[in-house]
Amino acid sequence: MGLLEIKNLHANIGDKEILKGVNLTINPGEVHAIMGPNGSGKSTLSAVLTGNPTYTVTEGSVMFNGKNLLEMAPEDRAREGMFLSFQYPVEIPGVSMVNFIRTAVNEKRKYQGQPALSATEFLKMMRERKDLVELDNKLANRSVNEGFSGGEKKRNEIFQMAMLEPKLSILDETDSGLDIDALRIVAKGVNHLRNSENASIVITHYQRLLDYIVPDVVHVLYKGRIVKTEGRELVAELEEKGYDWIKREQGDL
Amino acid sequence: MSVEQPYIDIYNQMADKVKAQSSAPLNALRDDAINALAERGFPTKKWEDFQRSDMRERYATNYGMNLTQFNIDFNPYKTFKCDIQAIKSHLFFVVNDVFYSNDQKALDEIAALQKQGIVAGSLRQVAKTHPELVAKYYGKAAKWDVDTTVAFNTAFAQDGFFIYVPKQVQTDFPIQIINVMNGDLDMMATSRNLVVVEEGAKLQLLVCGHTSKKYNYLCNRVTEVFVGQYGTLEMYKLEDTEASMTNIGSLFIEQQADSNVMVNEITLKNGFTRNNINVELLGEHAELNLCGMAIGDGDKHIDNHTFVNHAVGHCKTNELYKYILNEESVGSFDGKILVNKGSQKTEAYQSNRNIVVTPTAKMYTKPHLEIYADDVKCSHGATVGQLDKEALFYMQSRGIPEAEARMLLMVAFANDVIENIKIEALRTRMHMLVERRFRGETLVCNSCTDHCTK
Ligand SMILES: Nc1ncnc2c1ncn2[C@@H]1O[C@H](COP(=O)(O)OP(=O)(O)O)[C@@H](O)[C@H]1O
Ligand SMILES: [Mg+2]
């Protein structure tokens, strides 16, 4: 059984249908890339999977770890092991990074029946994971994402991922707005956390990130549907030819 | 019969006795005050400054008045024992409307302050021992023309706290006054406080309001504050009372040139609260920092009314009030800063930010600046919003339950008012109290809280 099984998923924002029947199965240990032109519904898919209340699911099913994902509150999905690296991480003035991440880590432990981490254990874990993504020490004492540069925000997402050790990570355009150095750091972090038990969905426009995080399967999402699924060689083909040939295949050009 | 009449009748019967117990500086204004009340009545919502709080309605309940000032059998120094170490301070209590000096600790604190040249203690006592000092200030700042609850107070008040910090003197520790309501019946307290900080002197003052029983209480406390040139006052006010409490507080401050005053007013838990702050900036380069926060739930009512008069130029006011309203609570902020003609180089900033958590809670805000000078820097504004939905989802997506995420956002919103507190121990404590408050936990056993369980 797959870690994630999406069947015929339809979702709306307001009256507008954005996802129009998505089918996708992801097994433990796999990395899937989802590519596709702007506005095709990639962020919508990640928002629906994490339970963002802005979107309504109108049809279809999603099983995660053998459980009905769509019935779960966003926080339970997270505690079951779902993680989204946001395309646009949210600033939370007045809530310190330390307090935020400690609360998140301990809530997850509570859910799994483990005791809260001691202050020493927590700080040790935080130090390790912070070093992994080369996140500046002083950021830990600031408010969540407030005053962080674009690159710092993205590295902070991967830091949180490292702290929460999810089963499924969705990286939504984590590469956008990153210079090569930051990209390398992010990829290093992701690869470090990769193992045979967990899986990732990497959403991106470009080949660059996929040079570092090599996918097993590549999908093209277009107009709310997955219209193509191939091996990693599809990345190079898309890089070379763009999306016009896909649009043409779909009868749109 | 009007709401006022029974009080006027009581005054007519009891005035002689009250005056005999009291002394000249306090008695001088009583008759004028009761006449003003008789003439104008209590403020109603038709009064410009009382659009959200009807004082006549509050006074319509038949409360007992303790005009003979008998002492209730209650020693706050014993009940509040564990609080004493919390924040190192000179601790005093006003029980209902009587300054509590029946415990040796109160006398020791008075003596310790006296050694530093400071006169502190019961207003009733000091008016007898230092009549000229009290007469010089009493009733000089508190005005009742736009607020007859002040007239009521002036007619009936007999006691409260008095603090006099002479020129260039600075207390070793903050002075803490705990106003506590205690009594096995519905009851009214009318107390009067006077604080004088002379030229170059400095005072940190904590004033807390508590109820130790759940009867219906009404208290009307008027505080007059005079800060001389280069004088500094930090005043921290905290209310933590029961839902059955009506709290009417009026604070009148007069600031001379180069003085610096900070008022930080936190309504943590209350019933029906009306706070009135009136500040006169009378000398150039005076600075005022006025900030407040209110947390409402249930059917709590929190009305803050502030008036700052820039009588002269080159002064600065910084005002920030924040409200977080849950359930059916009602908040009101009505703040006015007046910059007079000729008060050039004034800086005045006023801001009121509010979060209305539930659709049934209500916030009324009326920030305003009235400016008659042309060379000034001023701004004012208000916002009423909800908790940031994106931030909530972001936290939930990390596994933080919605209720906890809401709590973190509310605490974060309150943070900058608390960060203004300059006494570290108080700031830490306040962070904790506010968090407990949002978690719906009881505030037991912290400095300034209800009953002591230890
Ligand atoms: N808040 C919103 N309100 C209305 N339409 C939206 C909203 N967010 C996204 N959309 C629309 O949904 C479609 C898919 O958007 P999105 O999922 O962000 O695409 P992608 O991530 O693939 O670029 C687009 O047509 C976009 O305009
Ligand atoms: Mg997107």
Side-chain angles (χ1 to χ4, degrees):
Chain A
M1 196 182 56
L3 175 63
L4 181 75
E5 290 179 1
I6 304 177
K7 290 202 176 110
N8 190 31
L9 184 64
H10 291 249
N12 284 12
I13 181 156
D15 296 335
K16 191 171 156 195
E17 183 166 64
I18 314 269
L19 298 183
K20 300 174 181 168
V22 174
N23 291 291
L24 178 64
T25 297
I26 295 179
N27 297 305
E30 292 177 350
V31 174
H32 289 232
I34 298 182
M35 305 182 76
N38 255 330
S40 54
K42 303 184 298 294
S43 292
T44 302
L45 178 61
S46 55
V48 168
L49 291 177
T50 48
N52 189 322
T54 316
Y55 303 85
T56 4
V57 172
T58 53
E59 214 183 316
S61 69
V62 181
M63 299 300 283
F64 181 54
N65 271 331
K67 292 183 183 162
N68 183 348
L69 185 78
L70 300 178
E71 278 182 351
M72 288 183 218
E75 52 267 39
D76 289 337
R77 299 181 192 205
R79 294 183 288 197
E80 283 286 336
M82 176 79 74
F83 181 88
L84 169 63
S85 167
F86 281 62
Q87 183 172 2
Y88 304 107
V90 181
E91 299 189 6
I92 316 179
V95 176
S96 78
M97 255 324 285
V98 180
N99 197 10
F100 167 73
I101 196 69
R102 186 179 30 221
T103 308
V105 166
N106 283 331
E107 285 293 344
K108 178 168 182 181
R109 292 178 65 89
K110 191 157 89 189
Y111 187 79
Q112 295 172 335
Q114 296 169 306
L117 288 177
S118 72
T120 339
E121 288 168 323
F122 172 75
L123 287 174
K124 181 168 172 281
M125 177 177 179
M126 184 148 154
R127 206 173 313 119
E128 279 170 19
R129 312 289 153 102
K130 218 167 50 207
D131 291 348
L132 182 66
V133 289
E134 300 173 31
L135 198 64
D136 200 314
N137 249 332
K138 62 178 188 286
L139 296 183
N141 296 316
R142 291 230 219 118
S143 295
V144 178
N145 291 322
E146 196 184 39
F148 286 31
S149 69
E152 283 167 344
K153 281 182 184 166
K154 294 300 172 83
R155 275 186 282 156
N156 188 21
E157 294 293 287
I158 306 304
F159 162 69
Q160 293 172 43
M161 175 178 149
M163 291 294 284
L164 294 169
E165 301 173 335
K167 290 202 186 79
L168 178 69
S169 319
I170 307 169
L171 309 183
D172 190 359
E173 308 226 11
T174 301
D175 51 344
S176 64
L178 286 191
D179 60 32
I180 276 295
D181 197 41
L183 193 70
R184 187 187 50 76
I185 294 168
V186 162
K188 187 186 81 183
V190 173
N191 286 327
H192 182 87
L193 299 167
R194 208 169 152 171
N195 62 37
S196 61
E197 306 285 300
N198 60 26
S200 308
I201 298 175
V202 181
I203 295 172
T204 182
H205 274 301
Y206 309 106
Q207 183 173 355
R208 322 193 280 166
L209 181 63
L210 299 175
D211 288 342
Y212 292 99
I213 307 171
V214 182
D216 300 300
V217 189
V218 180
H219 308 273
V220 174
L221 188 73
Y222 180 61
K223 287 192 166 173
R225 270 190 209 97
I226 289 181
V227 296
K228 200 170 266 307
T229 297
E230 286 180 21
R232 64 188 60 137
E233 63 286 350
L234 182 59
V235 178
E237 197 177 351
L238 288 170
E239 186 78 6
E240 191 192 317
K241 301 202 283 190
Y243 290 105
D244 281 358
W245 63 284
I246 302 254
K247 294 182 186 171
R248 210 169 288 122
E249 273 186 12
Q250 296 299 312
D252 282 350
L253 279 179
Chain B
M1 194 164 58
S2 73
V3 166
E4 293 78 11
Q5 198 55 50
Y7 297 108
I8 293 160
D9 292 345
I10 290 175
Y11 185 84
N12 289 336
Q13 286 162 33
M14 298 289 290
D16 288 344
K17 182 153 189 4
V18 166
K19 285 176 185 169
Q21 285 170 175
S22 198
S23 51
L26 278 63
N27 290 339
L29 302 171
R30 294 192 195 281
D31 292 350
D32 287 352
I34 199 75
N35 288 338
L37 180 70
E39 203 172 299
R40 308 202 47 211
F42 286 111
T44 65
K45 288 186 177 174
K46 294 198 181 101
W47 291 40
E48 191 184 336
D49 291 344
F50 288 85
Q51 288 170 12
R52 304 292 164 204
S53 299
D54 191 324
M55 292 297 117
R56 183 172 285 163
E57 220 168 70
R58 306 315 296 182
Y59 273 95
T61 307
N62 184 17
Y63 295 100
M65 287 175 94
N66 179 19
L67 291 177
T68 55
Q69 301 266 288
F70 72 91
N71 265 307
I72 284 179
D73 180 24
F74 168 75
N75 183 344
Y77 283 94
K78 295 221 162 72
T79 311
F80 287 77
K81 209 188 270 170
C82 57
D83 289 329
I84 295 171
Q85 297 87 356
I87 292 163
K88 187 117 185 78
S89 68
H90 297 284
L91 179 67
F92 299 104
F93 293 90
V94 174
V95 178
N96 305 329
D97 42 26
V98 181
F99 185 93
Y100 192 86
S101 42
N102 289 356
D103 192 290
Q104 186 58 34
K105 290 208 183 72
L107 304 175
D108 291 348
E109 292 291 3
I110 290 170
L113 287 163
Q114 211 159 32
K115 281 207 190 96
Q116 301 167 45
I118 295 156
V119 183
S122 150
L123 177 68
R124 180 215 308 281
Q125 287 307 322
V126 178
K128 284 176 182 154
T129 55
H130 301 71
E132 64 307 320
L133 185 57
V134 173
K136 186 174 168 193
Y137 296 102
Y138 188 86
K140 298 295 190 290
K143 301 284 184 307
W144 61 62
D145 50 341
V146 293
D147 181 357
T148 43
T149 65
V150 176
F152 181 93
N153 181 285
T154 308
F156 288 107
Q158 300 181 55
D159 204 358
F161 62 87
F162 175 90
I163 301 168
Y164 167 74
V165 188
K167 284 187 183 109
Q168 308 301 337
V169 170
Q170 172 172 346
T171 52
D172 49 358
F173 303 118
I175 295 180
Q176 181 173 12
I177 313 281
I178 299 184
N179 287 306
V180 55
M181 292 301 290
N182 182 284
D184 295 327
L185 71 172
D186 292 353
M187 192 172 50
M188 174 186 293
T190 305
S191 71
R192 184 74 169 226
N193 313 308
L194 183 54
V195 177
V196 179
V197 178
E198 278 193 345
E199 289 79 14
K202 185 174 177 197
L203 174 66
Q204 289 180 312
L205 178 63
L206 280 62
V207 181
C208 313
H210 299 299
T211 37
S212 68
K213 302 247 170 83
K214 291 187 185 180
Y215 289 91
N216 290 313
Y217 297 130
L218 178 148
C219 65
N220 171 334
R221 306 192 190 278
V222 172
T223 305
E224 292 180 278
V225 174
F226 300 85
V227 182
Q229 189 171 18
Y230 291 109
T232 304
L233 172 73
E234 285 167 30
M235 184 168 179
Y236 303 100
K237 292 180 68 193
L238 172 71
E239 180 175 0
D240 169 17
T241 58
E242 298 292 337
S244 53
M245 173 82 163
T246 293
N247 194 2
I248 304 166
S250 298
L251 174 62
F252 294 88
I253 301 176
E254 285 191 6
Q255 283 186 247
Q256 300 303 324
D258 305 292
S259 61
N260 196 310
V261 169
M262 201 241 303
V263 179
N264 189 302
E265 182 172 53
I266 296 182
T267 307
L268 196 59
K269 204 163 142 279
N270 75 314
F272 182 106
T273 296
R274 157 76 182 196
N275 285 314
N276 183 47
I277 299 184
N278 230 287
V279 185
E280 296 282 333
L281 300 173
L282 301 173
E284 291 185 352
H285 304 289
E287 182 176 331
L288 169 70
N289 288 290
L290 190 53
C291 55
M293 182 183 57
I295 301 171
D297 57 11
D299 62 351
K300 309 297 165 57
H301 178 104
I302 307 157
D303 177 350
N304 283 299
H305 180 268
T306 69
F307 174 71
V308 180
N309 182 23
H310 281 254
V312 298
H314 297 275
C315 292
K316 185 173 174 182
T317 297
N318 232 317
E319 182 172 12
L320 170 67
Y321 270 80
K322 289 188 150 186
Y323 290 63
I324 301 156
L325 302 175
N326 272 288
E327 298 173 297
E328 276 87 47
S329 58
V330 176
S332 169
F333 171 79
D334 181 353
K336 178 165 156 182
I337 299 179
L338 172 64
V339 180
N340 285 276
K341 199 166 167 227
S343 293
Q344 302 298 4
K345 305 284 180 195
T346 290
E347 276 187 67
Y349 311 104
Q350 185 189 58
S351 164
N352 171 225
R353 312 209 168 281
N354 312 291
I355 288 185
V356 175
V357 182
T358 47
T360 42
K362 277 201 183 68
M363 180 67 208
Y364 300 96
T365 174
K366 198 173 147 197
H368 46 245
L369 284 170
E370 220 173 288
I371 304 170
Y372 299 101
D374 47 22
D375 185 11
V376 298
K377 277 194 223 161
C378 295
S379 69
H380 71 303
T383 55
V384 180
Q386 275 128 32
L387 292 175
D388 182 345
K389 288 199 176 67
E390 283 190 45
L392 273 178
F393 177 68
Y394 188 72
M395 288 196 265
Q396 284 178 273
S397 81
R398 298 304 184 239
I400 300 175
E402 188 185 351
E404 183 73 15
R406 285 177 172 279
M407 203 276 303
L408 287 173
L409 288 184
M410 292 192 285
V411 167
F413 181 76
N415 256 355
D416 51 356
V417 171
I418 300 174
E419 283 302 312
N420 274 320
I421 298 174
K422 291 179 187 154
I423 303 171
E424 199 190 333
L426 180 65
R427 193 170 58 237
T428 310
R429 215 141 262 283
M430 203 57 80
H431 276 302
M432 191 183 67
L433 285 177
V434 165
E435 190 171 322
R436 283 187 177 208
R437 173 70 172 91
F438 285 129
R439 287 186 190 282
E441 292 168 9
T442 47
L443 309 174
V444 162
C445 216
N446 296 295
S447 151
C448 291
T449 54
D450 339 337
H451 335 274
C452 181
T453 50
K454 275 184 195 159

